Amino acid sequence: MSETSAVSPEAPETNPLLIAWQTPHRTPPFAEITPEHFMPAFERAFVDHAAEIAAITHDPSVPDFDNTITALERSGKLLTKVSSVFYDLVSAHSNPAILAIDTDLSLRMARHWNPIMMNAVLFGRIAMLHEKRKELDLTGEQMRLLERTYTRFHRAGAGLSEEAKARMAEINERLAHLGTSFSHHLLADEQEWFLELGEDDRAGLSDTFITSAKAAAEERGLAGKAILTLSRSFVEPFLKTSERRDLREKVFKAFTARGDNGNANDNNAVIVEILALREEAAKLLGFPTYAGYRLEDTMAKTPEAVRGLLERVWKPARARALADRDELQALIAKEGGNFPLAPWDWRYYAEKLRQAKANFDDSAIKPYLVLDHMIEAAFDCATRLFGITFAERKDIPVWHPDVRVWEVRDRDGRHQALFYGDYFARSSKRSGAWMSSLRDQQKLDGDVAPLILNICNFSKGADGQPSLLSPDDARTLFHEFGHALHGMLSNVVYPSLAGTSVFTDFVELPSQLYEHWQERPEVLQRFARHYQTGEPLPEDLLKRFLAARKFNQGFATVEFISSALIDLEFHSQPASASRNVRAFEQAELKKIGMPEEIAMRHRPQQFGHIFSGDYYAAGYYSYMWSEVMDADAFGAFEEAGDIFDPATAKRLHDNIYSTGGSVDPEAAYVAFRGREPEPDALLRRRGLSDSAEAA
Ligand SMILES: [Zn+2]
């Protein structure tokens, strides 16, 4: 489609995506944007961007940093603007019209980017600058930008033969389509399923759970009923507390069968094709496997380094899980049960055991974990650490009435960012929790303040009750807020280096590190207050809660590492080995000695991290790689004797939270900590080290 057929040049512009936004802080005017605005806006954005790229490519002057690298940073503004609004809606508030556009767009997007990323003339300019980079008198950030730009084009195949590039383009187009199908299938399977909880089906479930189940029913137009959906925030507490073994089995099976039901939403064939195409692409680029290709551009560097870390943690975690299993089986026997522990029993009996041992259960603490107070706690820690302050704004347009917005100001009261929080589950939102942005920070042409989002799937309180979080939810809230800080505190010149534009195995450091503050007594004592009485969390309950944190870590670690290992195997074995996804999954789990009573955190057919797109492909291990650093990093505050120690916080801000991708991550870590991370901190934190075992 040509430019003129997409948008009439004479008509005054009425598409809100194509005019300057007159909203406060120039935020997207969500109320004015409807699905039919997107395709014409994308068409215009593609044309504009292609013209900008052509101008850089064919610039008659000798290539220099400014006319090539900086010009690339300036290009594609409209595309970035339209995309960020669109993809926010796709994940956080979609509808059939948006999803249909998403399906078409994935191909259009690939067709737009392929000729840019594989443009030989443009790459020639970049390569020439890269070659003589030492003579260019660049700042540290500029040098990093040049290296990253060169690497990005090189790894996309810009240096390949024309024939190889043509095939690469086809592969990218097909992969874009397959990734979209994968997530649409998953969403459809999640939307279709629910379990109505009649009066007889509620044994063991807490009042707050039932309240949330009623809110979920109302959201699906079933007011007056109570339903369970396949959101993790529902499934996990249900498996933990429901006394109905038959229902636990039903829910567990539905949850782990998402994308694997043999219906129109089945993801098995999608996975097979994705893996074959990724392998072919890696080979075109000169790598034996996709994992080899993918990991070259990370902190870990090689599949061997990843396997080394995972196996080191796997052994003690598995041993702990097996010991725990025997204890759970003994508990079943003690209660007169005559059945082997099944995967849908683990959480239930682990919770019972925890209550017996630590005299503690999650539902005892939930009334103290009020969503609004936990948001306040996350803000307060950021104020103490980094001096930023938060004030709610009611005048910023949002995509759903539940979304809240805060203005973030720096120490000196200057505007720093807007923070959008979208906390509640609804059927228009995909599952999980994530951070993203509507605009990234940069200073290339004047200060641009970021618009940062946190999206979660917490259950809403019904009947005017506040939303109460489980301990896991509270941790997720801090985790995503840690990512948000990475985006909001970003202080770089060039947009492609802003905030979370770092290696995948570094990106979880700011988020996981932030979780540490959530579980500190100093923080909980102040912000964990009973939703009805306002009483602070009793000292004794707090102690038991903190002690219980290390409970069941064998299970949690096994759940995670099995997923990380299968991701690595999918991408480091020949694709032909996984033509039968289920058989491959079974064989790999057997090989590592996966306890039968534990399921992977993500089975392949629902493993959106690695199949919805390629961000975490051969990269799910990243959480643990980052954990090696976060477990070690928090030690800096403990050693300083103050979890808000100003000098340590300043080093953290200056080297980690504000630098984005402008510095080498290893150097950034060492500059903060004064040394390399010490890996045993991770085992200690999870209670899996020998010394912890003795304790
Ligand atoms: Zn994260």
Side-chain angles (χ1 to χ4, degrees):
M1 198 184 285
S2 73
E3 185 180 10
T4 45
S5 67
V7 180
S8 160
E10 287 91 30
E13 192 50 76
T14 52
N15 187 332
L17 292 164
L18 293 173
I19 50 180
W21 293 333
Q22 302 302 331
T23 46
H25 296 289
R26 298 188 178 278
T27 56
F30 284 101
E32 292 163 32
I33 299 169
T34 56
E36 54 274 21
H37 291 129
F38 281 106
M39 269 338 263
F42 273 115
E43 293 296 349
R44 168 77 74 80
F46 289 145
V47 170
D48 282 7
H49 189 214
E52 289 161 351
I53 296 295
I56 301 167
T57 308
H58 303 297
D59 187 335
S61 35
V62 180
D64 61 25
F65 187 86
D66 206 46
N67 70 22
T68 304
I69 306 298
T70 309
L72 275 173
E73 289 291 301
R74 285 201 175 99
S75 70
K77 277 203 180 85
L78 181 60
L79 183 54
T80 309
K81 175 174 156 177
V82 179
S83 300
S84 45
V85 176
F86 181 72
Y87 288 111
D88 173 42
L89 294 181
V90 168
S91 5
H93 196 38
S94 68
N95 56 44
I98 291 281
L99 293 177
I101 297 169
D102 188 32
T103 303
D104 293 343
L105 188 65
S106 61
L107 183 62
R108 300 296 300 269
M109 211 45 122
R111 289 208 170 134
H112 172 71
W113 280 104
N114 277 330
I116 297 174
M117 296 311 292
M118 291 186 235
N119 178 331
V121 181
L122 178 59
F123 182 58
R125 294 177 74 99
I126 298 165
M128 195 192 109
L129 293 168
H130 185 252
E131 179 83 30
K132 55 171 195 184
R133 60 192 180 281
K134 298 235 163 63
E135 302 149 36
L136 298 178
D137 196 24
L138 301 176
T139 66
E141 185 178 338
Q142 289 172 332
M143 183 61 89
R144 179 87 183 153
L145 177 64
L146 175 52
E147 282 166 1
R148 293 309 300 154
T149 307
Y150 173 81
T151 304
R152 210 167 66 233
F153 276 79
H154 178 69
R155 287 174 54 79
L160 295 178
S161 72
E162 287 310 313
E163 192 192 345
K165 279 201 277 198
R167 178 61 190 146
M168 195 69 155
E170 285 172 6
I171 292 174
N172 289 342
E173 287 179 9
R174 185 69 189 153
L175 280 174
H177 172 76
L178 291 167
T180 310
S181 301
F182 187 94
S183 43
H184 289 190
H185 287 168
L186 202 51
L187 183 66
D189 259 5
E190 285 169 1
Q191 282 174 338
E192 279 166 21
W193 194 94
F194 67 85
L195 176 71
E196 193 182 328
L197 296 169
E199 292 297 335
D200 300 345
D201 306 327
R202 302 180 184 181
L205 304 176
S206 68
D207 291 347
T208 54
F209 186 93
I210 296 300
T211 307
S212 304
K214 285 181 179 163
E218 206 172 309
E219 207 264 328
R220 293 205 179 191
L222 299 164
K225 297 188 168 166
I227 63 159
L228 179 83
T229 70
L230 288 182
S231 152
R232 195 180 279 276
S233 296
F234 264 127
V235 172
E236 290 192 351
F238 184 84
L239 293 175
K240 220 180 228 181
T241 57
S242 170
E243 289 170 17
R244 288 280 300 274
R245 188 165 192 251
D246 58 331
L247 294 184
R248 290 204 308 268
E249 179 174 357
K250 196 170 177 178
V251 170
F252 176 87
K253 285 184 170 165
F255 189 64
T256 50
R258 288 169 300 145
D260 190 23
N261 286 311
N263 57 13
N265 306 325
D266 195 280
N267 270 331
N268 285 290
V270 181
I271 293 173
V272 171
E273 200 182 343
I274 289 177
L275 291 172
L277 291 173
R278 282 181 181 163
E279 177 181 73
E280 190 185 345
K283 287 190 168 152
L284 285 173
L285 292 162
F287 291 86
T289 65
Y290 182 79
Y293 162 69
R294 193 64 178 74
L295 291 166
E296 184 206 42
D297 200 37
T298 61
M299 288 185 86
K301 301 277 186 286
T302 64
E304 292 68 38
V306 172
R307 202 169 275 123
L309 170 68
L310 294 177
E311 280 173 358
R312 179 168 174 189
V313 186
W314 174 255
K315 284 185 192 110
R318 179 174 177 274
R320 173 61 56 83
L322 291 176
D324 288 349
R325 176 193 65 188
D326 295 345
E327 226 175 326
L328 299 179
Q329 190 67 63
L331 180 60
I332 292 173
K334 201 174 132 197
E335 289 190 347
N338 185 23
F339 54 87
L341 181 78
W344 46 90
D345 297 321
W346 188 295
R347 284 184 173 82
Y348 178 75
Y349 287 99
E351 187 59 19
K352 277 199 160 188
L353 191 64
R354 179 162 75 163
Q355 287 177 31
K357 276 189 159 179
N359 189 18
F360 177 83
D361 70 296
D362 275 1
S363 62
I365 196 167
K366 219 173 162 170
Y368 294 90
L369 299 178
V370 179
L371 170 65
D372 284 2
H373 299 172
M374 286 299 109
I375 294 172
E376 232 183 285
F379 289 174
D380 182 70
C381 290
T383 304
R384 293 203 197 185
L385 288 165
F386 307 121
I388 53 176
T389 54
F390 300 80
E392 187 157 8
R393 295 273 302 244
K394 302 279 190 185
D395 57 336
I396 308 289
V398 292
W399 54 93
H400 185 278
D402 284 346
V403 182
R404 299 172 68 184
V405 184
W406 288 268
E407 179 170 8
V408 184
R409 291 178 178 275
D410 71 8
R411 238 175 245 290
D412 304 316
R414 284 179 303 228
H415 178 80
Q416 172 115 21
L418 287 179
F419 173 68
Y420 295 66
D422 180 1
Y423 293 106
F424 299 124
R426 58 177 169 261
S427 51
S428 63
K429 197 189 268 190
R430 70 171 170 82
S431 56
W434 63 95
M435 165 271 195
S436 68
S437 68
L438 288 166
R439 186 165 71 214
D440 289 327
Q441 180 272 334
Q442 59 158 302
K443 294 190 288 195
L444 189 49
D445 300 301
D447 278 351
V448 173
L451 308 176
I452 301 296
L453 331 177
N454 269 178
I455 319 281
C456 302
N457 269 288
F458 302 144
S459 3
K460 211 172 187 173
D463 314 324
Q465 302 279 14
S467 164
L468 301 177
L469 303 183
S470 71
D472 279 349
D473 290 339
R475 179 188 281 224
T476 299
L477 178 86
F478 269 65
H479 178 100
E480 298 309 332
F481 193 68
H483 282 308
L485 287 171
H486 203 189
M488 295 191 289
L489 297 172
S490 176
N491 183 21
V492 300
V493 176
Y494 298 96
S496 73
L497 299 176
T500 51
S501 312
V502 295
F503 285 150
T504 316
D505 50 6
F506 187 77
V507 80
E508 300 301 332
L509 169 61
S511 53
Q512 293 181 168
L513 177 57
Y514 209 66
E515 294 173 22
H516 289 254
W517 278 275
Q518 188 266 325
E519 54 184 44
R520 294 296 296 200
E522 299 92 318
V523 175
L524 285 170
Q525 270 154 359
R526 245 183 95 194
F527 292 97
R529 292 180 172 271
H530 196 278
Y531 76 108
Q532 286 166 324
T533 64
E535 291 291 310
L537 188 63
E539 181 80 29
D540 162 60
L541 188 57
L542 173 71
K543 272 198 189 126
R544 282 183 280 136
F545 165 65
L546 293 175
R549 271 283 154 128
K550 288 198 170 78
F551 193 77
N552 211 23
Q553 277 298 310
F555 172 86
T557 312
V558 160
E559 230 195 350
F560 172 83
I561 298 187
S562 53
S563 281
L565 277 171
I566 207 140
D567 166 36
L568 189 67
E569 295 307 328
F570 269 133
H571 293 105
S572 54
Q573 291 186 32
S576 56
S578 47
R579 273 196 201 115
N580 182 333
V581 174
R582 285 188 202 157
F584 183 83
E585 175 190 7
Q586 286 312 314
E588 287 307 314
L589 292 178
K590 200 169 167 206
K591 220 189 278 175
I592 59 173
M594 179 76 169
E596 278 174 27
E597 302 81 0
I598 301 179
M600 283 185 283
R601 185 156 179 87
H602 308 281
R603 286 193 59 227
Q605 297 82 354
Q606 54 232 205
F607 208 165
H609 284 84
I610 67 170
F611 294 123
S612 286
D614 60 6
Y615 187 74
Y616 282 104
Y620 192 63
Y621 77 94
S622 297
Y623 292 92
M624 191 149 275
W625 194 273
S626 292
E627 192 178 331
V628 170
M629 290 182 280
D630 79 69
D632 181 72
F634 193 73
F637 287 93
E638 291 175 318
E639 286 158 24
D642 173 4
I643 60 163
F644 298 108
D645 178 60
T648 312
K650 185 176 183 330
R651 280 206 314 280
L652 184 63
H653 172 273
D654 294 353
N655 295 296
I656 308 285
Y657 280 90
S658 69
T659 49
S662 68
V663 289
D664 172 72
E666 251 175 67
Y669 189 85
V670 171
F672 160 64
R673 192 64 169 106
R675 56 167 175 75
E676 300 277 333
E678 187 251 297
D680 284 343
L682 177 146
L683 292 176
R684 281 199 303 275
R685 175 161 159 75
R686 288 187 173 241
L688 297 172
S689 65
D690 295 341
S691 54
E693 237 155 6

